[in-house]
Amino acid sequence: MNIKKLLLSQIEKVVFDLRYDFLYEDEYGELLCQVIQRDSSGSIESTPISFHLRINEEKGTANPSTSKILTPSWPSSLS
């Protein structure tokens, strides 16, 4: 398993456990990742966090950069 797949699977697992959805777009070796919250009809209600990941598979490194952080509404048990 490569680093990108490992990171995406772990992020997705955590996000789903918190009852959010996880979207990502892979462009030119950089991942744009978004954690989203949906309303009861399935529409996107908010995007608590989005970030970019640049992954160098050859070196085995990942460099995250947060592009937008809004006030997240995480469950109080995590605060």
Side-chain angles (χ1 to χ4, degrees):
M1 178 179 280
N2 64 33
I3 292 170
K4 183 184 344 182
K5 286 181 184 177
L6 178 64
L7 283 172
L8 287 172
S9 69
Q10 294 303 305
I11 293 168
E12 189 173 54
K13 183 181 182 311
V14 169
V15 168
F16 286 172
D17 286 349
L18 295 171
R19 303 199 193 292
Y20 287 87
D21 284 342
F22 179 65
L23 303 174
Y24 70 92
E25 190 173 300
D26 191 353
E27 288 190 15
Y28 312 108
E30 182 173 295
L31 293 171
L32 168 60
C33 304
Q34 295 181 315
V35 175
I36 62 171
Q37 183 175 20
R38 295 189 183 270
D39 63 17
S40 59
S41 68
S43 298
I44 295 175
E45 186 175 296
S46 65
T47 305
I49 187 168
S50 65
F51 55 94
H52 288 89
L53 282 175
R54 290 183 205 106
I55 299 171
N56 185 331
E57 293 283 348
E58 292 175 13
K59 284 181 139 183
T61 59
N63 298 314
S65 65
T66 304
S67 59
K68 175 177 67 171
I69 298 179
L70 303 175
T71 305
S73 55
W74 302 112
S76 59
S77 61
L78 296 176
S79 300

